[in-house]
Amino acid sequence: MNKIYFMDQSKFEASLMLSISLIIVGSFIYGFMSRPIVFYHVYTSIKYNEIVNSRKDNLKIALQTRNSGASKTYLWLVIDFYNLTLIDPKGIEVLVKNGVSRIFIPWLSQPSKLGYESYDIEFSFLDNSSYSLILFSVYENNQYDFLSRFHNSFAVYIPERPTALIFKNIDGFTFIRLQKK
C-alpha cells in the first residue's frame, strides 16, 4: 500500500514540475511575443550647417520615441548636455558632473504603429563656448508594477540617427550645427 502512495505522489510531483515548466516557457514566449520595441531619436528643425544666433533664438528640440511592440513600457528619457542651459521644461532636476549636465524624464511609451510620440525641450546656448552638445538615450524604468518590469526585461531599444546634436561656436553668439566634430 505504501508503494502505491509513493507512486501516486511521484506522478503528482512530475505533473507539478511539468506544469511549472510549461508556465515558465509560456511566460518567456509571451515576453518575446509582446515585448516593447522602442525606436528613438532627437529632432530639431535646424539643418546641418545651418547657423543659429543665440541672442535671438533658443535651441528647441523634440525627443521622439515610437514603440512598435505589443506592450507598453516605462522609460527614462536621458539627455546629457554640455555648454547649454535648460530653459523648458521647468522643474526638472539637472544633475551636473564634470561639466556635463544630465536630466532624466520619466516616460510611458504606448504601443503604436502610427508614429512618434514627442517630448519638447528648450535650451539656451552659453555664449563664447567652443562647442555645445546634446546626447539622447533611453533606459528602462523599473519603478512601476510587476507586469511593467516583466515587459521591460524583454524590451529592445533601437537608436535612430541622430541621437546627438553638435553645435560649434563660430563667433561669440553664432553657432552652426555640425555633422561631425
Side-chain angles (χ1 to χ4, degrees):
M1 198 60 105
N2 204 5
K3 285 188 176 186
I4 294 174
Y5 176 74
F6 180 73
M7 291 178 74
D8 287 339
Q9 185 162 347
S10 98
K11 284 182 183 179
F12 172 74
E13 289 174 355
S15 63
L16 182 64
M17 292 301 287
L18 179 63
S19 298
I20 291 172
S21 340
L22 290 175
I23 289 170
I24 291 171
V25 168
S27 296
F28 277 105
I29 291 172
Y30 170 74
F32 279 110
M33 298 293 287
S34 67
R35 70 181 173 190
I37 301 171
V38 178
F39 297 89
Y40 65 94
H41 65 271
V42 62
Y43 171 79
T44 182
S45 61
I46 301 168
K47 306 295 179 218
Y48 290 113
N49 298 321
E50 188 174 332
I51 294 176
V52 179
N53 184 339
S54 66
R55 286 183 186 172
K56 295 180 186 175
D57 300 317
N58 285 331
L59 175 60
K60 296 177 183 176
I61 65 169
L63 308 173
Q64 296 188 327
T65 64
R66 179 173 54 96
N67 181 354
S68 66
S71 61
K72 68 181 180 182
T73 184
Y74 289 94
L75 304 171
W76 286 112
L77 304 180
V78 181
I79 302 89
D80 293 314
F81 54 99
Y82 180 71
N83 286 336
L84 294 162
T85 303
L86 180 66
I87 300 295
D88 191 45
K90 295 174 178 23
I92 291 181
E93 181 181 3
V94 178
L95 306 171
V96 180
K97 184 175 181 181
N98 298 328
V100 178
S101 301
R102 175 177 274 187
I103 58 175
F104 292 89
I105 300 165
W107 188 256
L108 170 61
S109 184
Q110 295 284 358
S112 171
K113 306 291 183 200
L114 300 176
Y116 287 91
E117 300 172 299
S118 290
Y119 187 89
D120 296 330
I121 297 183
E122 186 174 351
F123 294 99
S124 66
F125 290 97
L126 295 180
D127 299 329
N128 297 322
S129 57
S130 0
Y131 287 92
S132 295
L133 174 68
I134 296 173
L135 298 169
F136 172 43
S137 56
V138 299
Y139 295 103
E140 63 188 31
N141 182 349
N142 287 324
Q143 295 181 336
Y144 296 94
D145 59 18
F146 171 76
L147 191 58
S148 298
R149 289 193 305 269
F150 175 77
H151 287 298
N152 281 352
S153 66
F154 291 95
V156 176
Y157 305 107
I158 303 171
E160 298 176 314
R161 294 192 73 174
T163 56
L165 300 173
I166 303 171
F167 294 89
K168 181 179 179 182
N169 189 330
I170 51 179
D171 79 20
F173 302 100
T174 308
F175 290 82
I176 186 169
R177 181 177 174 197
L178 301 176
Q179 283 184 297
K180 300 178 192 174
K181 185 174 177 183

